[in-house]
Amino acid sequence: MKNAINQLKFKFKNGSVVEKLIYINLAIFILGFLFNTLSFLMSAHSNFVFDWFALPAQYNAVLLKPWTLFTYAFLHASLWHILANLIILFFIGNLFLDYFTQKQFLNYYILGALFGGVIFVLSFNMFPALKNSNSVLVGASAAVTAIFVGIATHIPKYELNLRFIGFVKLWILAAIWVGLDIIQIPVENAGGHLAHLGGAFIGFILSYKHQNGIQLFKYLSDLFSPKKKKPLKTVYKSNLKRESSNVVANQKRIDAILDKIGKSGYETLSKDEKDYLFKSGKY
């Protein structure tokens, strides 16, 4: 048991951001399942994990628990729910890392989750027809969709070889993934599917801006970077400029004195001018 725990710790520590997110999602799913089972055995009417970390739809509830705009993305309602997200995250996430950095991956993932959460809350409160849909949001689908659509926008013609199907372009797979959300909006969980579309929108915008040489939300990449101190080079440059100015002024004075000698002779120089020539090494 101890060896297994140590191996998990080693894999987590040395794994990519994709692997770490998979481990975290699985751990939280197991924790939520245990709390749910405990609540059932105690005849409780609530689950502590979902009560505090799922995203509520009402404005006032979100204001009381603002962290849920992000934490909801680590909760899943069922085994199928988490498996679907983690399978896509594993394959598409690792493909994403072939073209982007791990920090960029986190940007897409976090922004996809946040924007998806915001869309869920706004849609629930703005459209009366959604009042009968789920009143809480859970799942990493918005974040995963941001990754999926992001990499599909970046390399749309990349082909994946699917068993029994053959080669399929990545943009087609992403379109099918998004299309499934669109056709399910009138059927069930409309707020949740709109949240997924919010993640898709963020993934598309980030990759579109990246391809056009604009780093959208760049501040997120530098948020935890240490502030760079002003280099001493600036002071050095300033001193160098001052020294250069002094050299030019000295040379002009020497030239003027030498011109005077050429026109009138050395004897016409003042004592100060003679001393200046002597100190400069010209005489």
Side-chain angles (χ1 to χ4, degrees):
M1 183 66 178
K2 188 176 179 180
N3 289 336
I5 293 174
N6 289 334
Q7 286 180 357
L8 282 175
K9 287 181 179 179
F10 178 81
K11 287 182 179 179
F12 181 84
K13 184 178 179 181
N14 295 279
S16 68
V17 64
V18 173
E19 293 169 325
K20 288 178 180 177
L21 282 170
I22 289 174
Y23 287 137
I24 291 171
N25 275 282
L26 284 173
I28 294 176
F29 179 76
I30 294 171
L31 184 64
F33 175 78
L34 292 175
F35 268 100
N36 192 40
T37 303
L38 185 62
S39 299
F40 176 77
L41 293 175
M42 296 178 65
S43 300
H45 298 289
S46 62
N47 183 321
F48 169 80
V49 175
F50 276 71
D51 286 346
W52 282 95
F53 300 105
L55 177 63
Q58 297 77 14
Y59 289 134
N60 57 346
V62 176
L63 290 175
L64 291 174
K65 297 183 288 185
W67 59 84
T68 57
L69 280 168
F70 177 65
T71 57
Y72 82 89
F74 292 93
L75 302 176
H76 290 84
S78 65
L79 182 61
W80 166 248
H81 190 197
I82 190 172
L83 281 179
N85 279 330
L86 295 189
I87 288 172
I88 295 295
L89 181 63
F90 177 77
F91 288 104
I92 300 300
N94 282 303
L95 176 62
F96 185 98
L97 291 180
D98 287 338
Y99 295 87
F100 293 94
T101 66
Q102 299 203 43
K103 184 178 287 187
Q104 287 172 317
F105 179 97
L106 280 177
N107 283 351
Y108 278 71
Y109 194 91
I110 293 171
L111 285 171
L114 289 176
F115 195 71
V118 170
I119 291 296
F120 169 76
V121 175
L122 290 177
S123 63
F124 189 91
N125 289 277
M126 291 174 65
F127 304 112
L130 300 184
K131 294 292 183 180
N132 296 325
S133 63
N134 293 351
S135 59
V136 294
L137 180 66
V138 295
S141 297
V144 171
T145 301
I147 297 294
F148 200 164
V149 173
I151 189 61
T153 303
H154 187 67
I155 48 169
K157 295 182 179 180
Y158 185 93
E159 293 185 333
L160 291 177
N161 188 8
L162 304 180
R163 184 171 294 184
F164 307 122
I165 296 176
F167 289 95
V168 183
K169 287 184 171 59
L170 191 59
W171 75 266
I172 295 177
L173 294 175
I176 293 172
W177 180 262
V178 173
L180 290 174
D181 279 310
I182 294 174
I183 63 176
Q184 290 182 81
I185 289 175
V187 182
E188 61 174 356
N189 190 21
H193 293 300
L194 287 171
H196 304 168
L197 296 180
F201 175 76
I202 283 295
F204 172 77
I205 290 297
L206 286 173
S207 285
Y208 178 80
K209 294 297 183 182
H210 177 80
Q211 286 177 334
N212 287 273
I214 304 170
Q215 293 186 18
L216 190 63
F217 305 119
K218 184 178 183 299
Y219 69 92
L220 282 175
S221 300
D222 302 327
L223 188 60
F224 301 103
S225 299
K227 292 183 179 180
K228 294 181 179 180
K229 296 181 180 179
K230 291 183 178 180
L232 295 177
K233 223 182 270 187
T234 305
V235 178
Y236 173 76
K237 285 181 178 178
S238 177
N239 291 337
L240 185 60
K241 287 180 180 178
R242 195 180 299 116
E243 289 176 5
S244 298
S245 299
N246 291 337
V247 169
V248 172
N250 292 339
Q251 188 61 47
K252 284 183 178 180
R253 187 175 181 188
I254 291 170
D255 290 342
I257 295 172
L258 292 175
D259 286 340
K260 187 175 180 181
I261 294 173
K263 291 177 182 179
S264 309
Y266 180 77
E267 297 301 326
T268 61
L269 299 181
S270 65
K271 184 177 183 304
D272 182 60
E273 289 173 332
K274 290 178 180 178
D275 290 342
Y276 192 84
L277 281 179
F278 180 77
K279 287 179 181 178
S280 64
K282 296 297 181 181
Y283 273 86

